[in-house]
Amino acid sequence: MTVFSTPHFDDHEQVVFASDAATGLKAIIAVHNTHRGPALGGCRMWAYGSEEEAIADALRLARGMTYKNALADLPWGGGKSVIIGDAKTDKTPELMQAMGVAVERLGGRYIVAEDVGTNPDDMVAVHKHTDHVRGVKGEGFDPSPATAFGCFVGVKASVQERLGRTSLQGLRVAVQGLGHVGYDLARQLSEAGADLVVSDMDDAALARARAELGAESVGLDQIYAQDVDVFAPCALGAVLNDETIPKLKARIVAGSANNQLAEDRHGQALADKGVLYAPDYVINAGGVIHIFHEGPDYDKQTAFAHVGRIAETLTAIYERARAAGVPTHVAADRLAEERFGKAA
Ligand code: NAD
């Protein structure tokens, strides 16, 4: 088993293997970079096929959080933890408590939150042994409205950049996925005067969007080829790929889904086609920004004003991409690296 020689190792500051025989905990905590502050990142529980897979995931996701937190202008570095196991069958409150002990041992260098396979209840168990946790049930708030608002201001900044207009009135937007984020984004777009085309496998969500937002609904595979100005992926990862990019008629891709580019080269493919891509980890940072503001002193106006700055960050990224002649996801990475001091 290797760490330093895996392709995902990127000078991570610390990688900890944590175990607890009594509860069966087997976890990896990866701290990528703490130049800006403690490393914040979720705890994923997944039935990995091998330990190598779990290490690769922890390293990759921790690095991603450094970039995301830096561009969200948070005083946090990037980290991530993974618990090896099936969240449906292997997870117990005792195991999550043992995870809390493991997090506490890092003395605050890593702050844990929920992720795939964990939830706010699990963070209550973690919280029994450490204060270095966010999104604890009862204290936490739903991050989705903040994520949706960040996407809304991100769409507006992207429209300003590519179409040179400040109003969304009469623009056509295709929203893929009407879940917690997608529906709220669709509602804000509709209120701003945009016309919507939507897709989801949930017929009730589609019916609601038709009735409440006047949206047109189309089949799952039809959403890519719609004659729209903006495509907003709010469902799945890897939706920008060799099959879908040739179909796109939108001049802008801006939505909440994580890991939208199937591969890095698809960012270049979008740029070659003249499509402006709002890097996903920048436009969907509203949730993590909101997590930062949670707590006894929570002030919604302050939190949402911070989320609103996603628009300025995207505009700065677009300017840099234009000046340097690089795709927007490359310009975003470079700006993040300046902010967290990669060279240092
Ligand atoms: P969700 O589970 O509430 O909603 C996802 C929706 O997508 C569901 O309605 C589902 O039926 C639909 N869907 C699934 N497959 C689809 C397909 N092939 N075509 C069309 N629709 C499909 O999830 P969410 O919280 O709204 O998050 C949406 C995306 O945004 C995810 O990729 C998530 O990782 C990302 N994200 C969410 C947040 C947040 O605060 N919730 C923060 C950052 C990123």
Side-chain angles (χ1 to χ4, degrees), residues 40 44 46 62 100 104 123 133 143 166 204 208 212-213 230 257 281 324 340:
L40 177 285
R44 181 165 292 192
W46 194 254
E104 179 61 19
M123 294 307 120
V133 54
T166 50
R208 192 177 156 212
E212 291 180 359
L213 311 177
V230 182
Y281 75 86
F340 72 77

Side-chain angles (χ1 to χ4, degrees), residues 70-145:
L71 286 186
D73 214 0
L74 293 167
W76 280 337
K80 201 87 180 187
S81 53
V82 301
I83 298 176
I84 300 172
D86 186 333
K88 287 206 182 84
T89 51
D90 301 334
K91 194 167 70 179
T92 61
E94 292 74 22
L95 179 129
M96 293 311 299
Q97 285 184 36
M99 186 64 192
V101 172
V103 170
E104 179 61 19
R105 285 192 187 124
L106 281 164
R109 285 176 51 72
Y110 170 65
I111 304 170
V112 63
E114 67 170 296
D115 196 71
V116 176
T118 62
N119 58 45
D121 281 318
D122 297 327
M123 294 307 120
V124 173
V126 167
H127 191 31
K128 286 211 156 95
H129 294 283
T130 186
D131 285 335
H132 306 299
V133 54
R134 293 283 175 141
V136 177
K137 188 181 182 188
E139 291 178 6
F141 304 72
D142 178 6
S144 304

Side-chain angles (χ1 to χ4, degrees), residues 64-328:
M65 288 309 296
T66 300
Y67 283 74
K68 182 168 192 165
N69 291 339
L71 286 186
D73 214 0
L74 293 167
W76 280 337
K80 201 87 180 187
S81 53
V82 301
I83 298 176
I84 300 172
D86 186 333
K88 287 206 182 84
T89 51
D90 301 334
K91 194 167 70 179
T92 61
E94 292 74 22
L95 179 129
M96 293 311 299
Q97 285 184 36
M99 186 64 192
V101 172
V103 170
E104 179 61 19
R105 285 192 187 124
L106 281 164
R109 285 176 51 72
Y110 170 65
I111 304 170
V112 63
E114 67 170 296
D115 196 71
V116 176
T118 62
N119 58 45
D121 281 318
D122 297 327
M123 294 307 120
V124 173
V126 167
H127 191 31
K128 286 211 156 95
H129 294 283
T130 186
D131 285 335
H132 306 299
V133 54
R134 293 283 175 141
V136 177
K137 188 181 182 188
E139 291 178 6
F141 304 72
D142 178 6
S144 304
T147 305
F149 179 63
C151 289
F152 176 66
V153 299
V155 167
K156 283 179 73 170
S158 307
V159 165
Q160 165 91 59
E161 165 73 18
R162 179 48 42 100
L163 307 176
R165 47 184 287 183
T166 50
S167 164
L168 301 184
Q169 190 68 42
L171 275 191
R172 281 174 61 78
V173 184
V175 180
Q176 180 184 45
L178 295 169
H180 291 95
V181 179
Y183 198 90
D184 203 18
L185 171 64
R187 182 187 54 74
Q188 292 176 62
L189 292 167
S190 164
E191 283 169 9
D195 295 324
L196 303 174
V197 188
V198 297
S199 71
D200 199 300
M201 59 256 279
D202 179 352
D203 289 335
L206 291 175
R208 192 177 156 212
R210 284 194 300 264
E212 291 180 359
L213 311 177
E216 178 193 339
S217 58
V218 296
L220 296 183
D221 292 335
Q222 290 173 311
I223 196 75
Y224 304 103
Q226 292 302 308
D227 192 6
V228 292
D229 302 289
V230 182
F231 171 50
C234 297
L236 311 163
V239 290
L240 302 171
N241 54 47
D242 291 337
E243 220 174 281
T244 59
I245 291 174
K247 291 185 192 164
L248 291 179
K249 295 198 181 84
R251 296 186 62 200
I252 294 164
V253 175
S256 74
N258 277 315
N259 305 317
Q260 292 170 29
L261 299 173
E263 293 171 40
D264 247 30
R265 66 185 172 85
H266 294 114
Q268 182 68 56
L270 287 169
D272 292 345
K273 197 178 151 99
V275 178
L276 181 70
Y277 168 61
D280 48 15
Y281 75 86
V282 183
I283 194 171
N284 75 13
V288 75
I289 293 171
H290 199 260
I291 284 176
F292 172 73
H293 288 275
E294 285 173 13
D297 299 329
Y298 177 73
D299 176 56
K300 186 173 178 188
Q301 220 178 331
T302 308
F304 274 65
H306 188 168
V307 174
R309 299 213 306 267
I310 287 174
E312 292 157 35
T313 306
L314 282 172
T315 302
I317 288 166
Y318 296 153
E319 276 168 14
R320 281 164 167 254
R322 233 184 303 122
V326 295
T328 52

